[in-house]
Amino acid sequence: MFPKNSITTFGLCLSLGLLAACSGKQEATESAARPHPFGARAYGDITRERLLNADSEPENWLTEGRDFGKSHYSPLDQINRENVSRLGLAWEYRLGTKRGLEATPIVVDGIMYTSGNAGRVYALNAATGEEIWTFDPKSDGQVNRYTCCDEVNRGVAVWEGMVYVASLDGRLFGLDAATGKVVWEVDTLIYKDRAYTSSGAPEVAGDVVVIGNAGADYDARGYISAYDRRTGELKWRFFIVPGDPEKGYEHPEMEMAAKTWGGEWWKTGGGGAPWDGITYDPETNLVYVGTGNGAPWPADIRSPGGGDHLFLASIVALDVDTGEYRWHYQMTPNESWDYDNTQQITVADLVIDGKKRHVVMQASKNGFFYVLDAKTGELISAQNFVPVNWAKGIDMKTGRPIVNPESKYTTERGFVALPSFAGAHSWHPMSYSPITGLVYIPAVNSSYPFVAAYEDDNPMGQKLSISFAKSAEMLRDPKTLRVNEGILLAWDPVQQKEVWRVSHGQGRGGGTLATAGGLVFQGTGGGLQTEGLSVPMHFSAYRADDGTKLWSFAAQTGVLAGPVSYEVDGEQYIAVVAGHRQGGDYYSPNYSRLLVFKLGGTAELPPPIEVPPRRLDPPAPFGTTAELTVGEEKYSRFCSTCHGVDAQSGGMFPDLRYSPTLHSQEAFDAIVLGGALTENGMVSFARAITPEEAQAIRAFVTQRANEAKQREAAATQAAAPAQQGHGASN
């Protein structure tokens, strides 16, 4: 269920550095209701009528995707292809975190509502950035051990004077839009003994607020819940994966789904968690839910002898009033490659074969772009938008993928899959322009070698049943396919073909915004910037018709969230939340901000802070080959999500290669086994890791630290003659 910011492997959070911080509490501020800064208006006054006529008030951005269909398109054109070069920074708002930021703001009548990490909420004057109120749910920092991909939050929902947000630890809040005070709060987690979190934006659908959960990389059983938007009362719940048949079925579809599973899948949960990708369509009165990947990943391990594994990797359409099933379409039956289907679902009217069709569109993580009938789920068309090798195409008669038999990897035979588990497209919003008729996709062309593994029933850690040690071994083979390219892709959904593309090299592109000014806005994520890899971190504007870059802004940090456009007092603004793991370096300065631009903006960011270079000082390598293999496997499973692939930090947490605890097994064990940093969110892993395995992890990290030190020394030695020659010529 990885919301893939970059191609990383997984694990839990072992904060062994001196700056360990799984959770940084940020105090909330509240203000009494104050007069609306833009006249006699109510705060957060979004109604069904206003949203149905969203195009008549283009100055607002009323939902996560602006309109009911989540087009991520703005009808504003004051900023356009002719003058975008004059775009400048209007204001910034600092969010005070090193954690990932992924929210798309909402703007209602000059007030901006957005979220930060873990479910914090900010209400700001959209013209000036003045803070009106903030809210901190005070999420339990220890829940970070159940997060695959940082304590991110993808936004809020606003409706009739209320702001809705989900906290990382699974609570759903209804807040007063004028003050930020809690009106109601509910706990959405029904299995307290399993690993669940919440990171997606809630969806207001009629009289309910719909929210899903994450956890399909652990032991979750996916479900979606709907709560009364006024009171927080549970109205209905739909399960994605059937539970233990002996305990009965919650609704008829679970009995139907159980026939497509085998073995005792319920013991590991089965997965399917709908952590994002929820869209309400008032025309059909359906809510479309994108569902997650299987848990564990290999289908033959989680459910031997099973079939399609409904309703994994699907779009499921439910009646918004009752939660009753209407239809489903499964993109990846028998899913085995972490191809969750939680990507944005866009509703639109397209003219196909001369007829107007009301459709849902999705650029799926599995690499195919799907167009379905919104009312029935009928497959209209599907085509791969990046290279794909797990399937040879889609059979239009059956609607099923033509699966490549070689893609079924085992414990003995790996398979290098296209796309990788990072996906061809993940949570990053795509945009649809009714002017160009194109969809602008933050696409990724990537590969990864999958090898299965039978894991023990460990009470902690992800339950993926993947051998990262064997995958790493395959990656060390120069013959193994290695692809990793971020792409801004303009796609024709009617003709199902590429129109143009912009390559970001090894950097992932962020969410996109299309505007009536003939522009597409997108940021880049930065990725790892250590050991010689440098990827620009910019927020840019491109021509919507051919992809020509017209403007760019150096953001000082990765920009992956979805941009928005709005207007206040006749002036158009472009806004985006910026902040992504600090470019791969945990020790770099904090540049996480809300950036807002306008024509002629003259504000400037402070210059980047100079950070003195860090020095690797590991102890001498130790450990046998067998111990290092164990250390690599355990590190990958329990540590790498927080501390980075192959012991190289992705920026969320300290890089353990620099940790002074490498010099002392006692100090290392005090944290890993003794829980010395529990208050920081780094709990004891004594239930999951033996003392011998802790020593093996330390040996593995020490080995990686020495290898990095050798590379740095070689690079310094190679650069010295060139520098001497340059000095002589002057």
Side-chain angles (χ1 to χ4, degrees), residues 554-605:
Q556 300 179 349
T557 185
V559 183
L560 291 180
V564 304
S565 187
Y566 60 92
E567 187 178 272
V568 180
D569 292 335
E571 194 159 37
Q572 183 182 355
Y573 296 84
I574 306 291
V576 70
V577 173
H580 170 55
R581 303 186 188 182
Q582 303 309 307
D585 187 356
Y586 173 84
Y587 302 95
S588 66
N590 172 21
Y591 297 131
S592 295
R593 307 175 172 109
L594 180 62
L595 301 174
V596 182
F597 305 88
K598 67 177 182 179
L599 293 175
T602 58
E604 295 183 358
L605 296 179

Side-chain angles (χ1 to χ4, degrees), residues 331 333 368 370 388-405 407:
M331 277 67 177
F368 287 90
Y370 296 90
V388 166
N389 69 355
W390 70 272
K392 300 178 181 179
I394 306 297
D395 185 331
M396 291 304 296
K397 292 183 179 180
T398 65
R400 298 176 65 86
I402 306 168
V403 177
N404 174 9
S407 68

Side-chain angles (χ1 to χ4, degrees), residues 111-378:
I111 306 298
M112 178 182 290
Y113 303 92
T114 192
S115 65
N117 50 40
R120 295 173 176 88
V121 183
Y122 307 87
L124 310 170
N125 182 314
T128 66
E130 178 189 2
E131 183 180 289
I132 298 172
W133 56 259
T134 68
F135 167 73
D136 185 351
K138 299 189 183 301
S139 181
D140 183 356
Q142 294 187 47
V143 78
N144 277 275
R145 66 186 186 273
Y146 299 141
T147 60
C148 82
C149 316
D150 206 355
E151 55 179 34
V152 297
N153 187 280
R154 295 183 194 88
V156 302
V158 181
W159 199 266
E160 292 187 353
M162 296 276 286
V163 177
Y164 304 98
V165 69
S167 63
L168 187 68
D169 57 7
R171 291 169 292 154
L172 180 65
F173 292 86
L175 309 176
D176 185 292
T179 66
K181 293 183 178 179
V182 177
V183 176
W184 55 258
E185 171 187 351
V186 295
D187 187 347
T188 70
L189 306 187
I190 60 175
Y191 296 110
K192 298 304 180 182
D193 59 341
R194 293 183 181 271
Y196 285 93
T197 54
S198 292
S199 58
E203 176 82 347
V204 175
D207 289 328
V208 297
V209 182
V210 183
I211 189 70
N213 305 109
D217 291 324
Y218 295 84
D219 57 359
R221 178 195 178 195
Y223 59 89
I224 190 92
S225 305
Y227 298 87
D228 185 288
R229 61 180 174 82
R230 299 176 184 87
T231 67
E233 177 189 359
L234 178 67
K235 288 299 184 181
W236 53 260
R237 177 170 285 133
F238 185 91
F239 287 88
I240 308 303
V241 171
D244 184 347
E246 292 187 359
K247 296 181 179 180
Y249 301 107
E250 292 84 358
H251 43 85
E253 292 73 31
M254 289 297 90
E255 184 174 6
M256 174 181 75
K259 297 176 183 178
T260 69
W261 289 76
E264 296 179 322
W265 71 87
W266 58 89
K267 291 186 175 181
T268 56
W275 50 270
D276 211 12
I278 305 171
T279 299
Y280 169 57
D281 177 18
E283 182 169 328
T284 60
N285 202 40
L286 298 176
V287 59
Y288 307 109
V289 180
T291 69
N293 56 278
W297 285 2
D300 291 341
I301 290 180
R302 73 170 171 265
S303 175
D308 287 351
H309 298 177
L310 291 178
F311 291 96
L312 299 181
S314 303
I315 292 178
V316 180
L318 306 174
D319 183 284
V320 73
D321 297 320
T322 65
E324 293 178 347
Y325 166 90
R326 291 293 177 262
W327 59 259
H328 80 276
Y329 179 85
Q330 190 173 39
M331 277 67 177
T332 314
N334 205 239
E335 191 279 318
S336 292
W337 308 274
D338 192 25
Y339 292 160
D340 32 4
N341 224 67
T342 54
Q343 295 70 54
Q344 170 193 339
I345 300 169
T346 298
V347 181
D349 292 326
L350 302 180
V351 177
I352 300 173
D353 295 331
K355 297 180 180 180
K356 182 180 176 181
R357 300 290 300 268
H358 189 58
V359 305
V360 295
M361 301 184 290
Q362 187 186 60
S364 178
K365 195 176 177 183
N366 71 12
F368 287 90
F369 190 96
Y370 296 90
V371 180
L372 309 174
D373 185 277
K375 185 176 182 180
T376 67
E378 172 199 355

Side-chain angles (χ1 to χ4, degrees), residues 438-525:
L438 301 179
V439 176
Y440 302 96
I441 308 170
V444 177
N445 177 20
S446 61
S447 62
Y448 187 77
F450 288 88
V451 184
Y454 285 92
E455 296 178 333
D456 56 21
D457 187 20
N458 206 303
M460 301 179 73
Q462 294 174 321
K463 296 173 173 60
L464 304 178
S465 292
I466 297 294
S467 174
F468 298 109
K470 291 184 178 179
S471 294
E473 182 180 341
M474 290 181 67
L475 286 171
R476 286 191 283 270
D477 184 344
K479 296 179 181 179
T480 298
L481 176 66
R482 301 189 67 169
V483 181
N484 178 22
E485 179 188 18
I487 304 164
L488 171 57
L489 185 65
W491 187 262
D492 185 330
V494 176
Q495 300 298 322
Q496 285 281 19
K497 66 177 183 180
E498 177 182 326
V499 176
W500 55 259
R501 68 167 55 197
V502 172
S503 174
H504 298 310
Q506 294 190 54
R508 178 186 274 279
T512 68
L513 161 69
T515 75
L519 299 169
V520 177
F521 290 87
Q522 186 190 36
T524 49

